[in-house]
Amino acid sequence: MEEVIIDVRYLEKQYMKQKAVKNASFQIRKGMICGLIGPNGAGKTTIMKMLGGLVLPTEGRIFMYGDSTEKGLAQARSRMSFMIETPYAKEKMSARENLEKQRIQKGIPDKKRVDEVLEIVGLSDTGKKQVKNFSLGMRQRLGIANALLAKPEVMVMDEPINGLDPEGIVEIRELLLRLNREEHITIIISSHILTELSLLCSDYIFIHHGELMQTLSVDELHKICKQYYHIHTDNDTMAVAVLQEKLGVAEFDVEEDGSIRLYERLEDMRLVSKTLYDHGVIPLELNLHEANLEQYYMDMVGGE
Amino acid sequence: MWNIIKAQNYQMKKDIMVVLLAICGLVLLIVPNVLDSSGDMDGLTGSVYLLQTSELLLLIFSIICLLLTCRICGWDYMDKTINYEILSGHSRKEVYWGRIVTSGIWSVVFCYVLGLLPLFIFTIVNGWGVNMNMGNVMFRYALMIFPILRMVCEFALLTFLLRNCYGAMVIGWTLFALSMIGVMFVEELTDTEWKLQLAYTNMSMLFDFSHGRLGYVGGEDVMIYETAVDLQTVLGTIGVSLLVSAVCLALGYLYYKKSDQR
């Protein structure tokens, strides 16, 4: 199993009378692309700010690379990059000047790195244009460029595709996937665009009202969200045998109550039903379930 | 911490406010003196220049400390770029002290350049003059580093508390003005000198050339001003400045270390 890079244990953040984050525990392993999913005010940004050291937890601990001391966390953060809320930039400086300042501040000796990251995000031709004249999409790209500057091992990104046009969204998605695949960069990302997260993430953390509702891998989510027929018969054990022997079915699950989730032959339900009946098994329930990440999330939060 | 200092230096070199401050400072210090001389520049020796501008110098030094410190410590709060330093792995200690050191360096260098450059120019052109002892004056200039650094620490504390560059400038200037006026008022009422303890700065003590006597030099009657600094003033300047600076730095750091960043 991959190394645990970030280990969050019982993290809480209290503001006056309100708890923004309640008892959150999760682990981020090397190589993950982990999506933080939740509505506005759920606590995603607060968690990211606590990971970044901007906000101090009220309770709980954060371990990064196995160390939770102040010094250890600071050293760990030097191996990571963060892009939280609207990317920060000096308005009256150009993209190049902003990145140059960050390069100096991070102690990166290679001056060419600024040009490299500008090229990666498509801002190399902005010249002396001041950031105050940038569009939202350009500012997001600058934020991503800053995040890439120090060649991080982990990238924590809060809604990085906000304000990007569809082409830009695809570019950033492909960039993040490439960074994860080729440079083995671990990514924690939050977004409201669940379809994008479903194309990007290997794991999901669902947050609602400051509470961690669930953590799922993409395989687990696909199982849950995959289209299937829920079959309940008068003799489920016999039904399984009939499906396997007579129809050669292999993709199915048997639930705790014995009912069957059938993931294949979805277009052949008449044949499935007839086969069961012909072998003395009477189908009592035969329902198609069709869920995606968005539907799953909406069901989880109860449509709030 | 050194990377933060270098990054701040890089940013300050590109800040138009720094250029404007330098230009305005030099213009304010040189032009009125030149205009006052009404074409007779020979009489504008180094010591005469200092006599004419000592009060203005104090004002300019205070403004420099205020503007530069608030800019360095507070500008990055307003657009949240200060957050990048923590996110990059710098500890709060490094971020805080990095900005304090940068503010101190810029304020001291700026004050001394603006304070000494015109003085040197007039001295080179017309000589030092006979009105003041140059060695004593230079000693006063050297002592000035303590109240300058004290003001930097005071304005830095204010900026870290307010997290707003321009708010700190306004409130800092108000507090400075009120403290100077307040001290003058108290001194009038009580006939004592409390400047060291109560005012935002005791710079005015170091550049106080109001005590003089008539002397006869080179066949002419001239005013000779008392420039020697007594031990009490030296110790008070250094001691009170260090004490106030330490308190301000400690309070500022304690607050910054424990506060959430927006």
Side-chain angles (χ1 to χ4, degrees):
Chain A
M1 198 175 261
E2 294 290 351
E3 173 198 3
V4 172
I5 294 181
I6 297 174
D7 186 2
V8 172
R9 297 180 193 176
Y10 312 111
L11 205 63
E12 292 201 347
K13 180 63 187 177
Q14 177 104 27
Y15 288 112
M16 304 295 272
K17 290 183 182 175
Q18 191 192 4
K19 265 192 186 172
V21 175
K22 302 169 193 169
N23 207 25
S25 296
F26 60 88
Q27 290 183 339
I28 304 295
R29 295 183 180 276
K30 188 174 166 59
M32 262 184 176
I33 303 180
C34 183
L36 279 182
I37 300 174
N40 288 335
K44 306 186 298 295
T45 302
T46 306
I47 288 176
M48 287 182 165
K49 284 184 171 180
M50 284 195 276
L51 292 178
L54 297 181
V55 166
L56 303 171
T58 318
E59 296 286 342
R61 291 176 82 178
I62 297 172
F63 290 78
M64 290 183 176
Y65 298 100
D67 196 338
S68 70
T69 61
E70 199 179 310
K71 191 177 174 185
L73 290 175
Q75 281 176 348
R77 288 182 191 120
S78 66
R79 296 160 71 178
M80 302 180 180
S81 70
F82 294 81
M83 185 175 138
I84 298 179
E85 292 180 326
T86 312
Y88 317 132
K90 304 303 299 183
E91 295 279 307
K92 293 192 177 175
M93 288 165 70
S94 66
R96 186 176 299 279
E97 287 168 341
N98 268 284
L99 290 176
E100 181 62 19
K101 184 195 165 189
Q102 291 305 316
R103 182 191 71 77
I104 296 169
Q105 182 258 109
K106 292 179 188 194
I108 300 167
D110 182 8
K111 291 186 180 182
K112 291 183 196 161
R113 185 63 187 154
V114 168
D115 292 313
E116 285 171 15
V117 297
L118 283 172
E119 185 71 41
I120 290 169
V121 301
L123 288 178
S124 51
D125 58 350
T126 51
K128 293 192 177 177
K129 187 176 183 178
Q130 293 180 345
V131 169
K132 66 180 181 183
N133 297 319
F134 278 18
S135 65
L136 179 55
M138 290 171 78
R139 287 167 188 260
Q140 291 290 123
R141 288 171 189 273
L142 180 59
I144 293 167
N146 183 42
L148 293 173
L149 203 54
K151 297 186 182 177
E153 294 172 21
V154 180
M155 293 174 72
V156 180
M157 313 189 83
D158 187 16
E159 316 241 6
I161 54 178
N162 256 8
L164 294 180
D165 55 28
E167 203 178 285
I169 291 173
V170 171
E171 273 179 39
I172 297 306
R173 185 210 313 150
E174 287 176 359
L175 170 65
L176 293 177
L177 284 169
R178 182 163 52 83
L179 289 171
N180 176 256
R181 191 176 55 238
E182 294 176 9
E183 317 270 343
H184 307 293
I185 294 177
T186 305
I187 298 169
I188 304 170
I189 181 171
S190 74
S191 178
H192 288 125
I193 308 174
L194 299 185
T195 46
E196 269 307 302
L197 287 185
S198 66
L199 294 171
L200 192 55
C201 298
S202 64
D203 294 81
Y204 301 96
I205 297 174
F206 296 89
I207 302 171
H208 192 58
H209 290 320
E211 274 187 84
L212 222 109
M213 308 287 284
Q214 198 168 13
T215 56
L216 285 174
S217 70
V218 69
D219 291 335
E220 288 165 343
L221 188 67
H222 280 162
K223 264 195 184 160
I224 296 167
C225 293
K226 210 170 163 178
Q227 204 173 33
Y228 63 91
Y229 264 99
H230 182 252
I231 302 171
H232 178 51
T233 67
D234 63 341
N235 187 343
D236 288 330
T237 309
M238 182 74 170
V240 169
V242 168
L243 289 172
Q244 282 179 307
E245 287 165 25
K246 302 300 175 189
L247 294 176
V249 157
E251 250 187 280
F252 68 94
D253 284 327
V254 177
E255 295 189 324
E256 277 181 11
D257 62 355
S259 60
I260 302 161
R261 280 193 186 196
L262 183 64
Y263 295 102
E264 56 179 293
R265 298 273 189 166
L266 299 180
E267 66 290 352
D268 284 338
M269 266 306 115
R270 287 183 72 176
L271 176 63
V272 168
S273 179
K274 187 175 182 303
T275 305
L276 286 170
Y277 189 78
D278 288 345
H279 289 83
V281 179
I282 300 173
L284 301 172
E285 195 181 317
L286 200 68
N287 295 319
L288 178 66
H289 287 250
E290 193 171 340
N292 54 20
L293 175 61
E294 205 169 291
Q295 183 66 47
Y296 180 75
Y297 170 69
M298 293 308 293
D299 288 343
M300 186 193 302
V301 300
E304 285 181 59
Chain B
M1 186 179 86
W2 297 113
N3 290 334
I4 292 176
I5 294 170
K6 284 193 278 186
Q8 283 299 307
N9 282 340
Y10 173 83
Q11 182 172 287
M12 289 302 283
K13 283 178 201 167
K14 295 191 176 296
D15 190 353
I16 190 71
M17 192 199 80
V18 171
V19 175
L20 291 173
L21 198 57
I23 293 171
C24 290
L26 284 171
V27 165
L28 280 172
L29 286 168
I30 296 174
V31 169
N33 282 287
V34 170
L35 291 176
D36 265 353
S37 65
S38 303
D40 177 21
M41 295 290 292
D42 290 344
L44 197 50
T45 60
S47 52
V48 168
Y49 160 79
L50 186 57
L51 284 168
Q52 289 177 178
T53 55
S54 59
E55 286 183 12
L56 181 60
L57 262 180
L58 301 179
L59 199 62
I60 287 175
F61 283 3
S62 307
I63 291 171
I64 288 169
C65 292
L66 175 72
L67 294 182
L68 290 179
T69 304
C70 293
R71 193 71 159 178
I72 291 167
C73 294
W75 193 22
D76 288 352
Y77 258 119
M78 297 172 68
D79 53 25
K80 299 187 186 179
T81 50
I82 192 172
N83 290 350
Y84 275 134
E85 290 166 13
I86 298 171
L87 294 172
S88 298
H90 293 288
S91 64
R92 301 237 177 168
K93 190 162 62 172
E94 286 176 318
V95 175
Y96 181 79
W97 289 107
R99 284 164 189 279
I100 297 292
V101 169
T102 310
S103 301
I105 292 170
W106 275 82
S107 296
V108 167
V109 169
F110 235 86
C111 285
Y112 275 101
V113 168
L114 280 183
L116 290 171
L117 184 62
L119 184 69
F120 285 159
I121 291 171
F122 286 116
T123 303
I124 289 167
V125 171
N126 293 323
W128 175 251
V130 297
N131 305 91
M132 293 195 284
N133 180 288
M134 186 195 260
N136 289 341
V137 167
M138 288 300 112
F139 182 67
R140 285 174 180 259
Y141 261 100
L143 271 183
M144 192 61 80
I145 195 171
F146 293 98
I148 288 172
L149 290 176
R150 172 186 166 182
M151 289 194 83
V152 166
C153 296
E154 287 164 340
F155 291 133
L157 169 64
L158 191 62
T159 312
F160 274 102
L161 288 176
L162 293 175
R163 303 192 207 188
N164 185 302
C165 163
Y166 302 116
M169 286 178 186
V170 169
I171 293 176
W173 184 250
T174 306
L175 287 175
F176 167 76
L178 286 176
S179 75
M180 298 309 285
I181 294 167
V183 162
M184 281 164 53
F185 186 64
V186 167
E187 282 181 353
E188 284 292 323
L189 281 180
T190 60
D191 198 27
T192 56
E193 287 196 351
W194 281 13
K195 282 179 186 160
L196 278 176
Q197 287 78 19
L198 288 184
Y200 229 70
T201 175
N202 72 327
M203 280 184 190
S204 55
M205 282 193 79
L206 293 178
F207 271 16
D208 178 12
F209 303 117
S210 53
H211 304 294
R213 57 180 170 78
L214 208 56
Y216 190 74
V217 177
E220 285 182 6
D221 290 325
V222 294
M223 282 300 292
I224 305 220
Y225 294 93
E226 181 58 50
T227 51
V229 189
D230 59 62
L231 186 63
Q232 186 185 357
T233 302
V234 174
L235 293 177
T237 299
I238 297 172
V240 175
S241 294
L242 289 178
L243 178 66
V244 172
S245 300
V247 168
C248 288
L249 290 175
L251 288 174
Y253 178 61
L254 283 171
Y255 177 75
Y256 180 65
K257 186 178 160 75
K258 294 293 176 192
S259 62
D260 291 336
Q261 305 302 298
R262 284 180 237 128

